[in-house]
Amino acid sequence: MNIQNSECSSIMKYLFNLVIFISILSSCFGQTISTTNKIKHYVEKAERYLDFKKALSTYYSVDERGISVFANPKDKINNKPEYYCSWDSIERLRLPNRLNKDTTKSLLGYKIAIDAGHTAGNIASGKIEQKFIRFKQPNNNGKVDSIELDEGELTYATSVLLKKKLEDKGAEVLLTRKFNGATSFGISFDGWLRCSFKNAVDSLYKISKINEEKRNWLLTKATKRDKFKLVFKDIELQKRAEVINQFHPDFTIIIHFNVDETNTGWTKPTKKDFNMAFVGGAFMKSDLLTSEKRFSFFHLLVSDDLENSIQLSSQVIRSFETTLSVKTAGINDAKYLKEGCLPTSKNGVFCRNLQLTRYVHSPLVYGETLYQDNIEECVLLNKETDKTKNTRIMKVANAYFIGVMNYVLKKATANDN
Ligand SMILES: [Zn+2]
């Protein structure tokens, strides 16, 4: 009996150890599979959306430990990451889902930022920022210069109309530009020139971005256009990203109107007309030269902002096509799409490394609706001095609104399942 008992006890012990061994083995194996899948997913994400020429693999790594970004290829060899996130931290980044709100029918609790592209509030300022079209139509009842559009006015009017629609659904909405002709500094470009231009030039000089000769030239000889292009434009875009990020929106809508890039000079109409939308990504080596830019790369890779941006943009693009009856652009419809963008899985949505798609830290849609220089669009957009009363602009605002609502509804439904 004792022997039997002893045998029995040994067998039990053996079985017990076997169960433990198998469970440890399966848990290790499960973990390996899960990590392997994660590595595969993020490598594919980087190659498909972020690494434009498939030339950045020496700047990042995706391995058993997590995701790292390096300041240069040498640091990768020496395993000295500039930014690093473990798999556990990446999992935690995804919780809680910011779009898991209580109801699908209202936007109560949502924070939405709207950025109306450019700064012009009239044709004169549109000329300074080179975002205007003027068509002379001498046969149009003897009227000349009968088409005059500046993009800043169109985007601002769209943003005001869209803000109202979103607020009516309960959302808290931030406009980066507070009035027609405003910059994100809360004043016009002329106001900024008076108050801040000299300080901005001095700051650039202090951080050695410009030399003394350039500083003096900017302060004494530069034209208004030079000042806009060489000093104001970048600083103002940075300010937009800053204002948006401080607001911590659930998502951001960046509004632009497009033109036919081959219609250079924009003195006559074109027959082309397309919609498209941009999200972040498509980095080149030169886009990883600063720590700030490398952080943007890292942020887009580890967060799910890019995936959400593609979903949001896809809904907006679909709505553009149906609401505005304008086709969605394919990659061959513009040179800059083919040469500077990566296509996503969604029609008309392209990864493009623009200042705002890079620095805004939320899901976003960078919408480029219809061509202002299209032969029919220009006539429609030219109507009404107050562009918030223009029916084409109203349709554009509605198209964004429908796209946003569809996105929110889809996310909420996905969360329920
Ligand atoms: Zn624009």
Side-chain angles (χ1 to χ4, degrees):
M1 283 291 286
N2 283 342
I3 294 168
Q4 276 179 343
N5 271 347
S6 159
E7 274 179 355
C8 183
S9 155
S10 299
I11 290 166
M12 289 297 286
K13 216 171 175 181
Y14 170 75
L15 285 174
F16 180 73
N17 286 338
L18 188 67
V19 168
I20 299 247
F21 175 71
I22 289 170
S23 68
I24 289 171
L25 189 70
S26 65
S27 115
C28 289
F29 190 56
Q31 206 170 12
T32 310
I33 289 176
S34 151
T35 308
T36 309
N37 286 343
K38 281 180 198 162
I39 293 172
K40 188 170 176 279
H41 169 81
Y42 284 94
V43 166
E44 280 173 8
K45 178 179 173 180
E47 287 177 354
R48 181 168 189 186
Y49 297 132
L50 294 168
D51 187 350
F52 185 56
K53 301 222 181 230
K54 312 284 172 281
L56 304 179
S57 60
T58 49
Y59 284 86
Y60 69 91
S61 74
V62 183
D63 56 31
E64 314 75 44
R65 292 164 298 179
I67 297 177
S68 310
V69 164
F70 304 88
N72 52 60
K74 204 176 155 200
D75 281 358
K76 182 173 176 178
I77 294 166
N78 296 326
N79 192 28
K80 281 189 192 160
E82 185 176 25
Y83 302 109
Y84 162 72
C85 217
S86 68
W87 291 120
D88 281 351
S89 312
I90 292 168
E91 285 299 314
R92 280 200 297 276
L93 270 180
R94 280 160 175 69
L95 295 170
N97 188 328
R98 291 191 295 179
L99 285 178
N100 194 7
K101 302 281 163 37
D102 290 342
T103 170
T104 58
K105 287 186 183 147
S106 97
L107 294 172
L108 209 62
Y110 282 86
K111 291 175 81 174
I112 304 170
I114 305 180
D115 181 57
H118 311 293
T119 61
N122 53 44
I123 196 79
S125 44
K127 282 182 184 171
I128 296 293
E129 63 177 349
Q130 292 284 295
K131 293 290 171 188
F132 78 104
I133 56 170
R134 170 180 273 178
F135 297 152
K136 293 183 178 180
Q137 293 191 331
N139 298 327
N140 186 5
N141 298 327
K143 285 183 192 168
V144 291
D145 296 344
S146 56
I147 303 282
E148 275 192 340
L149 298 170
D150 60 280
E151 195 184 335
E153 255 190 288
L154 306 182
T155 62
Y156 181 73
T158 312
S159 71
V160 169
L161 295 170
L162 179 59
K163 178 177 187 271
K164 170 90 174 62
K165 282 173 175 290
L166 298 170
E167 282 177 342
D168 286 349
K169 284 279 177 185
E172 183 186 348
V173 181
L174 168 94
L175 291 190
T176 55
R177 299 204 288 123
K178 306 292 181 203
F179 58 89
N180 185 44
T183 68
S184 56
F185 293 109
I187 49 177
S188 66
F189 173 57
D190 284 337
W192 181 86
L193 279 179
R194 283 192 299 275
C195 305
S196 307
F197 175 67
K198 190 176 176 303
N199 280 347
V201 172
D202 286 340
S203 302
L204 290 174
Y205 175 66
K206 263 183 205 159
I207 57 168
S208 305
K209 280 230 168 178
I210 53 171
N211 59 24
E212 195 171 354
E213 193 188 347
K214 186 81 178 275
R215 175 182 174 272
N216 292 339
W217 177 82
L218 281 166
L219 293 177
T220 56
K221 294 203 172 87
T223 62
K224 212 169 165 182
R225 168 76 189 138
D226 292 329
K227 292 172 185 175
F228 186 96
K229 195 175 148 193
L230 302 173
V231 181
F232 173 77
K233 201 176 155 204
D234 274 0
I235 295 176
E236 205 262 345
L237 281 171
Q238 275 169 25
K239 181 69 183 173
R240 285 180 197 231
E242 197 183 301
V243 167
I244 293 168
N245 290 339
Q246 278 170 1
F247 180 62
H248 298 292
D250 288 294
F251 52 88
T252 301
I253 303 163
I254 301 162
I255 299 173
H256 284 258
F257 287 78
N258 214 341
V259 289
D260 176 358
E261 33 125 28
T262 60
N263 189 24
T264 339
W266 295 281
T267 52
K268 59 183 190 317
T270 176
K271 286 187 177 164
K272 283 191 195 170
D273 202 6
F274 287 109
N275 296 310
M276 60 191 77
F278 299 119
V279 296
F283 285 69
M284 292 187 227
K285 258 191 187 166
S286 56
D287 296 323
L288 295 182
L289 289 178
T290 67
S291 184
E292 200 179 15
K293 287 178 177 178
R294 289 190 292 275
F295 181 75
S296 301
F297 179 92
F298 178 70
H299 169 83
L300 282 172
L301 182 56
V302 300
S303 77
D304 53 5
D305 280 358
L306 188 54
E307 289 87 338
N308 285 322
S309 294
I310 293 170
Q311 286 182 36
L312 169 62
S313 300
S314 172
Q315 292 298 338
V316 169
I317 274 287
R318 280 192 211 184
S319 173
F320 281 168
E321 184 158 321
T322 49
T323 314
L324 304 172
S325 306
V326 172
K327 278 187 185 165
T328 301
I331 193 130
N332 294 316
D333 287 319
K335 205 175 164 193
Y336 54 86
L337 292 178
K338 206 164 182 178
E339 293 179 0
C341 300
L342 284 171
T344 68
S345 55
K346 302 292 181 186
N347 249 353
V349 182
F350 302 91
C351 294
R352 193 176 188 189
N353 192 15
L354 300 165
Q355 223 164 313
L356 286 187
T357 59
R358 182 165 66 231
Y359 292 136
V360 167
H361 292 161
S362 81
L364 60 88
V365 50
Y366 190 111
E368 286 278 6
T369 28
L370 49 90
Y371 287 8
Q372 299 159 79
D373 51 345
N374 171 267
I375 195 155
E376 285 159 15
E377 299 290 5
C378 69
V379 176
L380 294 174
L381 292 170
N382 202 43
K383 289 176 183 170
E384 308 288 350
T385 314
D386 176 357
K387 294 299 177 195
T388 59
K389 296 196 166 62
N390 177 293
T391 50
R392 193 62 174 155
I393 298 284
M394 287 178 189
K395 273 197 172 181
V396 172
N398 200 36
Y400 274 104
F401 176 69
I402 293 168
V404 163
M405 292 308 287
N406 286 341
Y407 167 69
V408 168
L409 185 65
K410 212 169 170 193
K411 290 295 280 185
T413 316
N415 284 332
D416 284 348
N417 293 334

